[in-house]
Amino acid sequence: MNICCIGAGYVGGPTMAMIAAQCPDIRVTVVDMDGARIKAWNSDQLPIYEPGLHEVVMAARGRNLFFSTDIDRGIREASIIFVSVNTPTKTYGIGAGSASDLTNVELCARRIAEVANGDKIVVEKSTLPVRTAESLKRVLQANANGYTFDILSNPEFLAEGTAVADLERPDRVLIGGDNTLSGQRAIQALVKVYARWVPRERILTTNLWSSELSKLVSNALLAQRISSVNALSALCEATGADVDEVTFAAGRDTRIGSKFLKASVGFGGSCFQKDILNLVYLCRHYGLDEVADYWERVVTINTWQKTRFVRRMIDTMFNTISGKRIAILGFAFKKDTNDTRESAAIDVCRALLNEKAHLAIYDPRVTSPSIFSELAHATGLSQSDVEKRVVCEVDPYRAAEGAHALAVLTEWDEFKNLDFERIYRSMKKPAFAFDGRNILPHARMQAIGFDVQAIGKSLPIAAAVATESLEKVSV
Ligand code: UDX
Ligand code: UDX
């Protein structure tokens, strides 16, 4: 059997590598129009960082896993074609700002129909608005040249940073298809691939629309949990409750569960906001304005949380950060990935730059060109203007040197055990630490002399800081 995947991104690359690693007799080809990306997949420097991914790719690459820019050949040789191209939020026309831009997906369907030389199973891997399969089907059938195309929806639930583990032991694999003989046969063909390593009871089959909607709903429910906790983090700060204690207590109820209740500076990533806005657009389309308004608030709270974090920084730092150096620890949208898409760090840094701060940024995996380009895009400044106000440092100690404050924006494990005495000595006093992920050792840092501000906590100011603030405020 031959499988092809169009789109060698964060989803297509790891997913196909896992299929190839688990099924040595299936030839898997990942194609992409981006030549540089394919070159990277064929090199030792893979284009994305994921723990364990290198090993999985190396085990199968050249054996039954191939990366290529020859999209047409990939389509012709495969009986199952995954479509895993990006579907960004539309920036123009009807639905701008909320609907998904399906241009890439439709182009793929047209290309498949044009070059196909036999029957194909086309699998939607990209997250798509509900009923996209219908449009795909029409495009494919209108250009079918006598061949049969079965459409399946097989949404990906992997989370970045844990992609390999999620693919190896998924909570579930979801496959949606038509309730026709040929649709059911197509479902079974794909079930057989996953059943090589996923227990059968974890492979769920549904109709197309349930599968498409399940992906949006899963992401919306996950994001909603974070926004709920983040909304409550403000109440914790106001009342003296500690958000970590509150979520721990609530999460002990097995009906609520303890996962995904971590208060933060805000969620990011390529999926949550896009998928919720997609859901909102869908609800409005069907005249369900109350439902749309309800889900839209999840995004509103997320935006508010980022703004609130920056306001707290400014308030704490005597209402001005103009000209002050601030060390930013973490730029990726979460730990263990080099992905910066929709990262909370982008919005926080933009707001700090608007207040004329100088930033010294350190992230263990995000490269400085990505940081500069994200910030240039976010601020509208030229890259060289960004570089006048932002430096990327090679370690957290360099970033903190001479800084008035440090802000943790990504929960990288290495930030938990830094030499905070050393950092404190090198900073301006009072030395502020804003923990946007609640991972720092707050009590230890307070004992050293830091003024620590954390999400959902109103930590008492350490005695040393209180005296310093009064006596020698160095600017
Ligand atoms: C993307 C979407 O963000 C996600 O919603 C969806 O579920 C899967 O696709 P991701 O893999 O993270 O996820 O996107 P990205 O890393 O941008 O990769 C998409 C790839 O498709 C890019 O490498 C791009 O070059 C390629 N592509 C895009 C094509 O090969 N052809 C196209 O027509 C468009
Ligand atoms: C998400 C879904 O988890 C995954 O199933 C889907 O396939 C794609 O979208 P991803 O965006 O890669 O995955 O990462 P995830 O772990 O869900 O984190 C998303 C954001 O929420 C990150 O910015 C993370 O830091 C934040 N987050 C997560 C919190 O702020 N608190 C939490 O408790 C959990």
Side-chain angles (χ1 to χ4, degrees):
M1 180 192 273
N2 277 359
I3 288 179
C4 168
C5 173
I6 310 179
Y10 282 89
V11 172
T15 311
M16 292 304 122
M18 184 57 70
I19 292 181
Q22 299 285 353
C23 314
D25 55 313
I26 299 180
R27 185 184 164 93
V28 181
T29 308
V30 192
V31 295
D32 200 296
M33 60 186 191
D34 182 341
R37 216 166 210 195
I38 290 297
K39 202 169 161 211
W41 278 112
N42 281 321
S43 75
D44 274 346
Q45 281 293 317
L46 301 183
I48 65 175
Y49 172 71
E50 272 296 337
L53 180 64
H54 200 261
E55 291 76 359
V56 176
V57 170
M58 292 311 150
R61 199 174 68 189
R63 177 188 73 186
N64 65 326
L65 175 65
F66 302 92
F67 295 92
S68 161
T69 51
D70 193 343
I71 297 178
D72 291 357
R73 184 167 166 207
I75 293 172
R76 272 197 297 269
E77 289 180 351
S79 53
I80 300 181
I81 301 164
F82 286 84
V83 177
S84 188
V85 296
N86 43 338
T87 51
T89 303
K90 267 186 92 175
T91 52
Y92 56 89
I94 298 170
S98 61
S100 269
D101 190 340
L102 298 179
T103 315
N104 293 340
V105 173
E106 185 177 331
L107 283 176
C108 285
R110 289 185 184 278
R111 196 77 205 148
I112 292 169
E114 202 174 313
V115 306
N117 51 350
D119 299 345
K120 307 279 177 196
I121 296 171
V122 177
V123 187
E124 296 177 345
K125 199 70 181 159
S126 304
T127 306
L128 298 163
V130 181
R131 302 202 78 93
T132 304
E134 188 66 36
S135 323
L136 279 183
K137 212 182 299 173
R138 287 194 55 200
V139 170
L140 285 163
Q141 278 164 3
N143 302 280
N145 296 322
Y147 300 123
T148 305
F149 295 106
D150 283 299
I151 315 288
L152 297 179
S153 157
N154 171 220
E156 188 46 66
F157 294 106
L158 68 79
E160 287 175 35
T162 53
V164 171
D166 295 345
L167 287 165
E168 217 162 16
R169 288 177 299 280
D171 286 343
R172 81 300 209 187
V173 167
L174 181 57
I175 303 175
D178 270 338
N179 209 2
T180 58
L181 190 60
S182 130
Q184 292 301 308
R185 261 200 222 122
I187 290 180
Q188 287 316 316
L190 192 54
V191 167
K192 266 170 92 179
V193 173
Y194 284 108
R196 302 285 197 90
W197 80 96
V198 179
R200 276 305 283 262
E201 65 276 12
R202 292 196 177 198
I203 306 179
L204 315 180
T205 58
T206 65
N207 75 29
L208 274 172
W209 327 127
S210 299
S211 171
E212 288 181 335
L213 188 57
S214 300
K215 170 70 190 207
L216 293 187
V217 166
S218 299
N219 275 348
L221 288 171
L222 288 169
Q224 181 206 36
R225 265 171 91 89
I226 303 169
S227 276
S228 298
V229 167
N230 282 346
L232 294 170
S233 73
L235 187 61
C236 289
E237 285 160 33
T239 56
D242 177 322
V243 75
D244 284 335
E245 290 176 355
V246 170
T247 51
F248 181 74
R252 287 303 283 263
D253 185 328
T254 50
R255 293 169 303 174
I256 296 170
S258 59
K259 293 182 184 166
F260 242 76
L261 284 180
K262 187 80 184 154
S264 66
V265 58
F267 62 73
S270 71
C271 286
F272 280 178
Q273 176 159 319
K274 170 171 73 77
D275 290 353
I276 291 174
L277 293 177
N278 220 318
L279 191 66
V280 167
Y281 183 75
L282 204 66
C283 294
R284 294 218 193 282
H285 173 80
Y286 288 106
L288 300 168
D289 283 332
E290 286 77 5
V291 186
D293 291 346
Y294 174 76
W295 286 105
E296 202 161 33
R297 297 298 289 176
V298 172
V299 175
T300 311
I301 286 287
N302 196 47
T303 308
W304 177 74
Q305 181 76 345
K306 291 180 266 189
T307 311
R308 211 168 72 76
F309 184 79
V310 174
R311 269 206 208 113
R312 193 169 172 197
M313 287 182 75
I314 299 168
D315 287 353
T316 312
M317 295 169 75
F318 319 110
N319 288 313
T320 176
I321 53 170
S322 172
K324 292 181 181 170
R325 177 175 164 110
I326 298 175
I328 300 293
L329 303 191
F331 199 81
F333 83 96
K334 62 183 285 196
K335 72 171 179 177
D336 291 341
T337 178
N338 61 347
D339 194 351
T340 58
R341 286 177 294 179
E342 304 291 339
S343 177
I346 300 172
D347 287 335
V348 169
C349 289
R350 181 188 44 210
L352 296 175
L353 288 171
N354 277 344
E355 294 292 329
K356 300 195 184 307
H358 288 266
L359 306 181
I361 304 179
Y362 166 71
D363 186 286
R365 290 283 169 184
V366 182
T367 60
S368 47
S370 312
I371 293 175
F372 288 132
S373 116
E374 284 284 16
L375 291 180
H377 187 252
T379 55
L381 295 171
S382 69
Q383 199 136 320
S384 62
D385 280 341
V386 171
E387 284 177 38
K388 281 181 200 144
R389 310 257 304 277
V390 177
V391 286
C392 291
E393 298 288 5
V394 292
D395 66 45
Y397 301 102
R398 293 274 291 271
E401 251 173 50
H404 289 257
L406 61 84
V408 172
L409 303 184
T410 312
E411 71 281 24
W412 287 100
D413 288 335
E414 68 175 66
F415 298 155
K416 294 177 188 170
N417 296 311
L418 297 172
D419 180 345
F420 289 106
E421 276 91 1
R422 176 176 164 197
I423 288 183
Y424 181 75
R425 278 197 305 273
S426 75
M427 287 176 68
K428 291 251 177 14
K429 309 295 175 332
F432 296 99
F434 298 93
D435 188 354
R437 297 289 185 164
N438 286 352
I439 56 162
L440 298 177
H442 300 153
R444 185 149 65 83
M445 290 177 72
Q446 284 187 308
I448 293 170
F450 280 98
D451 178 337
V452 182
Q453 304 283 328
I455 304 271
K457 295 170 195 269
S458 45
L459 302 170
I461 297 185
V465 179
T467 331
E468 259 168 18
S469 325
L470 288 173
E471 285 174 0
K472 47 168 185 156
V473 176
S474 58
V475 184

